[in-house]
Amino acid sequence: MNYGEIKKTDIANGIGVRVSLFVSGCRHHCKNCFNQATWDFKYGNEYTKETEKEILNALAPSYIKGLTLLGGEPFEAENQQELTALCKKVRQNVTDKDIWCYSGFTFEEITGNSRANCQFTKEFLSYIDVLVDGRFVEEEKDISLAFKGSANQRIIDVKRSLDEGR
């Protein structure tokens, strides 16, 4: 897996000050995507054990609320194995942090029959607290919306949704 950037003090992609990992690779190709460079799976830097340590260290300060995963597309099958392992280590090592994830896939696509659902999906999803789902739709763009770019996108409490099966 490759990644485009790590932001260690991000205030735009979730509640509070966050560490954000922008993964590479996305097949959605949303019109006027803010991060088109990350569509390429080979864009940026290779994700390594050193990258993982850098992220875990960046999450350590008490003022950091949590980790945000975005991209690119975290739920592309090619990215899920590494992200699942990272989320598992976050849960084991910095237990007071939450995990947000932005995906162009809907929750229903992630949990249903789509390319987003692979052997790692169930475990990966179990570590995520908040999912901002749905493709960015230029015609529904609204800069007044908190934590999402277009009105079709949803902010989902993943644990509650999994418990309720919807």
Side-chain angles (χ1 to χ4, degrees):
M1 179 181 87
N2 279 17
Y3 68 97
E5 183 178 9
I6 299 169
K7 288 188 178 181
K8 295 181 181 173
T9 53
D10 187 357
I11 58 168
N13 296 301
I15 295 173
V17 181
R18 313 187 64 73
V19 174
S20 293
L21 173 64
F22 292 78
V23 300
S24 296
C26 182
R27 293 182 179 91
H28 298 307
H29 296 192
C30 299
K31 178 182 172 186
N32 292 325
C33 170
F34 83 99
N35 207 1
Q36 290 183 18
T38 62
W39 291 356
D40 182 351
F41 283 87
K42 295 181 183 192
Y43 174 77
N45 303 298
E46 181 182 354
Y47 183 90
T48 64
K49 291 294 179 195
E50 288 73 34
T51 310
E52 181 180 89
K53 288 178 192 171
E54 179 181 354
I55 292 167
L56 292 171
N57 288 337
L59 286 166
S62 61
Y63 63 86
I64 298 293
K65 175 77 171 136
L67 173 67
T68 298
L69 306 171
L70 60 172
E73 174 56 66
F75 276 95
E76 291 288 6
E78 294 89 335
N79 293 330
Q80 289 190 47
Q81 182 174 7
E82 292 291 349
L83 293 176
T84 301
L86 172 62
C87 289
K88 184 176 184 176
K89 288 200 174 161
V90 168
R91 291 287 181 230
Q92 293 170 339
N93 295 299
V94 284
T95 57
D96 61 333
K97 312 298 179 178
D98 62 11
I99 299 174
W100 282 50
C101 184
Y102 283 75
S103 177
F105 291 104
T106 63
F107 182 80
E108 293 80 9
E109 288 172 321
I110 291 167
T111 58
N113 187 16
S114 78
R115 76 172 191 269
N117 197 328
C118 70
Q119 67 190 44
F120 303 103
T121 306
K122 188 174 181 178
E123 183 181 1
F124 180 27
L125 199 57
S126 76
Y127 296 126
I128 296 169
D129 297 295
V130 177
L131 175 70
V132 181
D133 81 337
R135 289 161 182 76
F136 171 74
V137 177
E138 176 67 26
E139 295 74 24
E140 295 188 49
K141 180 179 179 178
D142 183 345
I143 61 169
S144 71
L145 298 171
F147 308 122
K148 53 187 189 169
S150 58
N152 63 297
Q153 295 173 313
R154 302 175 296 179
I155 299 174
I156 296 173
D157 178 331
V158 174
K159 301 213 182 312
R160 183 174 162 202
S161 295
L162 289 172
D163 287 347
E164 294 177 2
R166 60 178 186 91

